[in-house]
Amino acid sequence: MLPNTGKLAGCTVFITGASRGIGKAIALKAAKDGANIVIAAKTTQSHPKLSGTIYTAAEEIEAAGGRALPCVVDVRDEQQINDAVEKAVEKFGGIDILVNNASAISLTNTLETPTKRVDLMMSVNTRGTYLTSKACIPFLKKSKIAHILNLSPPLNLNPMWFKQHCAYTIAKYGMSMCVLGMAEEFRGEIAVNALWPKTAIHTAAMDMLGGSGVESQCRKVDIIADAAYSIFKKPKSFTGNFVIDENILKEEGIKNFDIYAVKPGQPLLPDFFLDEHPDVAVIKQESPGAVPEFKEEKPQPQSKPHYGAVEETFRIVKDSLSDDVVKATQAIYQFELSGEDGGTWFLDLKNRGGTVGHGEPSDRADVVMSMSTDDFVKMFSGKLKPTVAFMSGKLKIKGNMALAIKLEKLMNQMNSRL
C-alpha cells in the first residue's frame, strides 16, 4: 500500500464529539489524507436512537486511511481532557489541530430552561471549549500547522437570536468569544477560527429539533467537513475569522452546492445567528469600535392584525381548496394562535374536499403550529417565510415536519390571493 501524501498526512487532529455527526465527518475527511485522529467523545456504548461510538468511529477512520485513538472524554471533566491530550502526545508525538465540536443544545426560553440544562450547555459549549483549548495549546504552539477550529457562529448581537433561547445563545457565543480572544492572544503561533453552516445540517440533533422529514431541507455533514479542510490548508496568519461554510467553498471554486443537499432542489432551512433575510433586523456599525445599532431594513410600527384578519385568511384558504389539493397533501393542521383574533383553528386537508374552521379538528392533527396572529397572517400572505419564522422562533411546530413542508408549498401557491 502506497503511503498517504495528503495535506494532513501524519498530522494529529484532536476532535471533541467525533463519534458521530459533524465531528466524525471532519475526522473522516482528514483521515483520507492519512491523518492521526483523536476521537475525544463520551459515547462508548451504542444508543438505540443515536448510532456510533468512539470505537465504531475509530474503525471508520482507519478504514478511510487514518490512524485513530478513541478516548473517553466528557469535556465537562478537565481530568478526562488532560488524560486524552497526554495519550495523544504519547502515541502520535504532538497535536497539530484541535476541533472544538462537542456541543449541547436546548432551544427553550428563560422560564422553560431547567438549571441543569443551563449548566450543561455552559459546561459543554463554553467551558469545555475553553478547557480543551487550554490543554492542547502548549502542544499546538510546537506545530507547524497549529489550528484551533470552533464549531460556533459569528457574534451577532441582534436581539432576535437571544429572545427565544437565551441560554443556548450565550453558551454558543462563549465558544465564539474564545475565538475572538485566543486568535489575538496566540497570533503568529496558532490560527484560531470559527466555522458555521449557512443552512441547517442533517444530524441527529437536527432530527430531534425538526422532527421527521426535516432532512429534506438540510445539507449533508460533508459540506462542513470540506469547509473545515479548507481552513486547515490555510497558514497560521489566517486567524480570528468567523467562516461560513458556503462562502469559503465558493472561494475554493465550488459552484454546484446541490452535491451537499440531502434532497437537491428542495428549499433549505437557514441556520441560526445569520441575518440574511429582509424581515430580520441587521446590525449597522457606523465606525470601528462603535456600539452596534440595530435597525430594521424597513422600519415599521408593530401592528396588530385587524379584527377578522384570521377569519379572512381562512376564508381565502377555503376558497382555494380542491379535491386535488387534499389528495396531494393528506394532512390535518392545527394552529394555536396568540394575540387578538387568536385561538385554535384547523385546516383539514385529509378528508372530503378539505375544510377549515375555528376550534380543534374532529380528527387528530398531524401538525400543530403555534405563533402570533400577526405572524400567521404575514406567513399566509407571503410576507414572512415559514422557514425564517421557524428558525427565528416565531413559529413552533409539533408533529410531522414533512407535512409542515407540504403546507409551505401550498402557501406559496396561495400567496397571490392573500
Side-chain angles (χ1 to χ4, degrees):
M1 185 176 178
L2 292 173
N4 199 316
T5 56
K7 172 71 178 176
L8 301 181
C11 293
T12 299
V13 187
F14 190 106
I15 308 176
T16 64
S19 59
R20 62 174 71 94
I22 288 171
K24 188 177 79 171
I26 294 172
L28 291 172
K29 179 75 176 179
K32 289 176 183 176
D33 271 10
N36 308 316
I37 310 294
V38 183
I39 307 157
K42 61 179 183 172
T43 309
T44 56
Q45 295 183 326
S46 58
H47 188 278
K49 293 184 179 179
L50 298 171
S51 62
T53 68
I54 57 174
Y55 306 113
T56 58
E59 290 172 3
E60 291 183 57
I61 286 162
E62 294 189 344
R67 296 170 67 199
L69 175 63
C71 295
V72 179
V73 176
D74 182 335
V75 294
R76 293 173 291 178
D77 189 322
E78 186 177 15
Q79 191 59 53
Q80 288 185 12
I81 295 169
N82 293 338
D83 289 347
V85 169
E86 188 177 322
K87 289 177 186 175
V89 173
E90 184 181 333
K91 180 165 184 173
F92 299 127
I95 295 172
D96 300 288
I97 296 170
L98 165 64
V99 179
N100 285 306
N101 166 69
S103 192
I105 184 170
S106 181
L107 299 179
T108 45
N109 63 35
T110 301
L111 297 179
E112 293 176 349
T113 310
T115 302
K116 66 177 182 179
R117 179 62 59 173
V118 176
D119 291 343
L120 175 68
M121 290 189 284
M122 300 300 176
S123 298
V124 172
N125 301 1
T126 301
R127 184 175 179 272
T129 292
Y130 185 91
L131 291 181
T132 308
S133 300
K134 182 181 177 183
C136 291
I137 283 168
F139 304 100
L140 289 166
K141 290 173 81 168
K142 300 174 185 177
S143 170
K144 292 180 180 179
I145 294 175
H147 272 274
I148 294 177
L149 181 64
N150 294 354
L151 273 295
S152 64
L155 288 165
N156 181 352
L157 298 182
N158 181 342
M160 182 184 79
W161 299 117
F162 291 82
K163 178 183 176 183
Q164 301 293 344
H165 38 74
C166 189
Y168 173 65
T169 298
I170 293 170
K172 286 305 287 187
Y173 280 14
M175 297 175 71
S176 300
M177 292 172 80
C178 286
V179 171
L180 204 62
M182 292 178 188
E184 286 302 314
E185 185 177 357
F186 302 105
R187 186 173 289 277
E189 296 179 289
I190 304 169
V192 187
N193 297 287
L195 175 60
W196 195 247
K198 183 174 181 178
T199 72
I201 303 297
H202 184 225
T203 61
M206 197 63 206
D207 280 338
M208 176 187 71
L209 295 171
S212 175
V214 74
E215 68 275 4
S216 65
Q217 288 190 293
C218 297
R219 282 176 172 162
K220 303 171 188 172
V221 290
D222 300 3
I223 191 169
I224 296 290
D226 288 357
Y229 187 81
S230 295
I231 293 170
F232 300 154
K233 291 191 298 182
K234 293 187 177 293
K236 292 180 185 179
S237 57
F238 183 82
T239 192
N241 300 289
F242 292 90
V243 178
I244 303 302
D245 58 356
E246 186 176 303
N247 296 350
I248 195 168
L249 292 174
K250 281 181 178 176
E251 291 174 12
E252 293 271 323
I254 292 177
K255 296 177 181 177
N256 177 22
F257 285 86
D258 279 349
I259 60 171
Y260 295 117
V262 174
K263 290 190 177 180
Q266 292 291 316
L268 297 167
L269 282 170
D271 211 330
F272 292 92
F273 310 115
L274 303 179
D275 293 344
E276 296 193 12
H277 301 279
D279 55 350
V280 173
V282 295
I283 297 176
K284 183 178 180 182
Q285 196 155 340
E286 301 294 348
S287 60
V291 176
E293 178 187 356
F294 294 96
K295 294 183 179 180
E296 293 286 344
E297 289 189 357
K298 294 181 180 179
Q300 292 179 342
Q302 185 68 29
S303 61
K304 293 183 178 180
H306 62 78
Y307 180 76
V310 174
E311 286 99 328
E312 179 64 14
T313 299
F314 274 114
R315 186 191 65 76
I316 297 171
V317 170
K318 184 177 181 180
D319 290 345
S320 303
L321 300 183
S322 67
D323 288 337
D324 289 340
V325 168
V326 172
K327 186 177 179 181
T329 311
Q330 286 297 290
I332 298 174
Y333 303 92
Q334 183 172 320
F335 302 90
E336 297 294 340
L337 306 180
S338 59
E340 185 183 340
D341 203 22
T344 301
W345 297 78
F346 70 89
L347 172 58
D348 184 340
L349 298 179
K350 184 181 282 186
N351 301 304
R352 299 173 295 281
T355 56
V356 301
H358 196 274
E360 294 187 6
S362 54
D363 294 332
R364 184 179 177 183
D366 299 291
V367 182
V368 179
M369 297 183 170
S370 303
M371 63 195 312
S372 72
T373 51
D374 195 16
D375 288 333
F376 171 83
V377 174
K378 284 182 182 177
M379 192 171 77
F380 267 86
S381 61
K383 294 175 183 175
L384 174 63
K385 290 184 179 180
T387 50
V388 175
F390 175 67
M391 295 303 283
S392 63
K394 292 180 178 180
L395 166 64
K396 292 185 178 180
I397 301 174
K398 291 182 180 179
N400 189 316
M401 184 62 71
L403 293 177
I405 293 167
K406 275 192 176 184
L407 182 62
E408 179 176 0
K409 291 179 180 177
L410 182 63
M411 282 189 284
N412 289 337
Q413 296 168 14
M414 295 179 180
N415 283 346
S416 60
R417 301 186 59 188
L418 290 160

